[in-house]
């Protein structure tokens, strides 16, 4: 099954915005490379559709997931209790570290599973509670 994605380059550590169309296994490989570096940012969409776009930003064991439904609508997935709601965690959004409260932080493994499920189910709104921004 193929997907379209862009991600942080494992070599430079910077986001490489040129999209690739590949099998999910290639995206999984890039994610694993980034996990070994400790952080990364990934944007994923389905082939032949501009939206939805799912983004995964992570640093170590903490991740944040965004859903862009169209050019004017973005949502943030509610956290899973990995981090207390009052605490802040920084993750890379594109190339800059951005702070999020624990309300929106997930375990990186769980966040990756949501992205992987999105690529398999082709769901326009992956499971979870979403907060529209």
């Amino acid at each position: 099954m193929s997907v379209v994605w862009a991600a942080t380059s494992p070599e430079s550590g910077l986001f490489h915005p040129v999209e690739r169309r590949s099998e999910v296994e290639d995206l999984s490989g890039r994610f694993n490379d980034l996990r070994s570096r400790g952080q990364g940012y990934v944007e994923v969409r389905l082939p032949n559709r501009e939206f939805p776009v799912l983004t995964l930003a992570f640093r170590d064991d903490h991740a944040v997931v965004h859903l862009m439904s169209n050019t004017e609508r973005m949502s943030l997935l509610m956290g899973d209790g990995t981090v207390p709601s009052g605490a802040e965690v920084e993750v890379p959004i594109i190339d800059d570290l951005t702070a999020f409260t624990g309300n929106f932080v997930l375990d990186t493994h769980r966040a990756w599973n949501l992205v992987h499920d999105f690529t398999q189910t082709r769901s326009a709104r992956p499971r979870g509670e979403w907060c529209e921004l």
Side-chain angles (χ1 to χ4, degrees), residues 29-95:
R30 172 62 62 89
F31 175 75
N32 290 333
D33 289 344
L34 294 173
R35 275 301 296 243
S36 68
R37 286 184 49 92
Q39 68 179 28
Y41 175 79
V42 178
E43 296 179 350
V44 182
R45 67 181 177 83
L46 306 176
N48 306 318
R49 292 176 51 191
E50 190 174 347
F51 293 99
V53 175
L54 201 63
T55 71
L56 166 63
F58 71 92
R59 190 170 183 205
D60 299 321
D61 293 329
H62 302 122
V64 174
V65 177
H66 285 88
L67 173 68
M68 291 178 269
S69 301
N70 58 46
T71 56
E72 298 176 9
R73 190 170 173 208
M74 181 180 285
S75 301
L76 191 55
L77 185 62
M78 297 299 292
D80 61 6
T82 297
V83 173
S85 62
E88 287 191 351
V89 169
E90 289 185 328
V91 296
I93 301 295
I94 303 186
D95 290 328

